[in-house]
Every structure is written in C-alpha cells, then in structure tokens.
Amino acid sequence: MTSRTNETWLNDLRSTGAIHEEALADLRTIIQKGLPYALSRWLSSDDPLFPPLVEEVTQETLLRVLDQLDTFEGRSLFTTWVHKIAIRIALTELRRKRWRDASLDELTENEDAPPPPGLLADPHASPETSAERKDMITRVRRILEEELTPKQREALVMLGLQDVPMEEAAKRMKTNRNALYKLLHDARLRLKKRLALEELSPQDVLLAFEQK
C-alpha cells in the first residue's frame, strides 16, 4: 500500500485512471481494517451481520469521501477524517436497517403504482403524515425516473436496496468495481442537484417517513 500525505490523498483521489483506482483501493482497505475495532462496542465482528455491514459502509464511505473532498480542512490525518465518516455511516445504518423493506424497483417502475406497503405501514401515523409520505414517494419516484439513467437506477437497486456485494454487482453489470463507484458517484450528484432544485434535502425525504 502506498504511503500518502494528506495532500497526496486529495490529489490521487481527484485524479483519473490508475492513480485514482489505486488510491480508492488503498482507502477501501484502510476503512475495512478499521471498522471491526471501531464498531466493537455495538456489533461483534463474529456476528453474521458484520461482513455485509462492513461492505455496505465501505461503499457508502468511499462515495461520501469523493463527494466531500473539498470539505476536508487538513486539521487531522486524512485517514482519520475518513474513519470518522465511516463510523457515522455505520451507526446510522445500524439504526436505519428497518428501511431496507422498501424496494426502489417499486418506486421507479410504475408512476401510477401505489407506494410500497412497507413505507406506509405505520399504524400510528396521522392522516396528515400518511398524506405527506404518499406525496413524498410520488416526488421521489418522479425524480429518480427523470434524473437517473437505467444503469444508475440498476446500480442503486442492487447496492442500495438488495445488498448485492460490489463485486457481484459489477459482474452482473459487466463492469468493474471502480467504474461502478463512478456510476454511483455521478448518480448521487445528479440526485443532490435535483433535490436542491425541488427545495428538498435527503433529510427531508427521510423525515417524511420518520414523523409520527
């Protein structure tokens, strides 16, 4: 593994080709080595849930880091900053596992289809909250359909909802891991810009399903 300074990490991750791919692979290894110790208070590395969680958190962390490179201020080691992001994502994912019941296929395939039952099956939600959720699902469905390419939607379904391992997803899509990261990164940027135009944030979407 190449030893890098903070500046080198930033430059390599902003580059293209072999330099970018090598930096991404090294960062992936660093994240996965640190997670077992970092998460030991909440989940044992022997737990069957641990390997898929590590894979999921690693994928999300790499995407988040690429999105937020410009926010790194250099007050710590770059890898320390990355580890903090990974831990926050891991703990958030542990809390949000119940949302895995929703299917992006159902959200995107049919504009007129009713929302997936799992998203609305809250017996304690008020009529107003249920109506807000239905409206939000309709808006999210429309945004996903209009903004993402079929390949981007396919990647989000496999990696974000079906928990397909990165290597298997790349194989099914006849691409490689780094190209798949790039595909997801571009999809996230497009969704982020569109949500901003719609005056929505990712938090707005989540809150629509968390309010009682």
Side-chain angles (χ1 to χ4, degrees), residues 31 35 39 57 61 81-91:
I31 293 168
L35 282 175
L39 297 179
V57 169
T61 300
W81 179 70
V82 171
H83 275 306
K84 290 180 179 179
I85 293 175
I87 293 169
R88 286 199 302 270
I89 290 172
L91 296 181

Side-chain angles (χ1 to χ4, degrees), residues 59-156:
Q59 293 171 18
E60 177 63 23
T61 300
L62 290 172
L63 290 168
R64 188 80 58 84
V65 167
L66 291 175
D67 284 346
Q68 298 181 0
L69 282 177
D70 291 340
T71 70
F72 176 64
E73 298 178 349
R75 297 179 182 178
S76 65
L77 289 175
F78 180 78
T79 50
T80 300
W81 179 70
V82 171
H83 275 306
K84 290 180 179 179
I85 293 175
I87 293 169
R88 286 199 302 270
I89 290 172
L91 296 181
T92 298
E93 189 57 36
L94 284 173
R95 290 194 297 267
R96 296 192 184 280
K97 273 297 182 183
R98 60 194 177 97
W99 295 117
R100 290 298 180 193
D101 294 336
S103 169
L104 186 59
D105 284 323
E106 295 178 76
L107 283 174
T108 59
E109 284 182 353
N110 187 348
E111 178 72 26
D112 298 321
L119 288 179
L120 302 178
D122 181 0
H124 303 294
S126 67
E128 292 81 7
T129 297
S130 294
E132 289 175 4
R133 290 176 181 175
K134 290 179 182 179
D135 178 66
M136 184 65 71
I137 291 169
T138 299
R139 296 178 70 183
V140 170
R141 176 189 287 139
R142 174 171 51 80
I143 290 170
L144 291 171
E145 182 65 31
E146 293 176 355
E147 288 298 321
L148 300 185
T149 67
K151 284 289 187 182
Q152 288 171 334
R153 289 198 297 274
E154 181 183 1
L156 285 176

Side-chain angles (χ1 to χ4, degrees), residues 24-36 39 50-65 82 85-87 89-90 93 166 177 181:
L24 207 58
D26 286 350
L27 196 57
R28 176 184 178 82
T29 300
I30 289 170
I31 293 168
Q32 293 192 330
K33 283 184 176 180
L35 282 175
L39 297 179
F50 190 81
L53 176 68
V54 167
E55 181 64 25
E56 188 172 354
V57 169
T58 301
Q59 293 171 18
E60 177 63 23
T61 300
L62 290 172
L63 290 168
R64 188 80 58 84
V65 167
V82 171
I85 293 175
I87 293 169
I89 290 172
E93 189 57 36
M166 177 66 76
R177 180 194 297 271
Y181 278 128

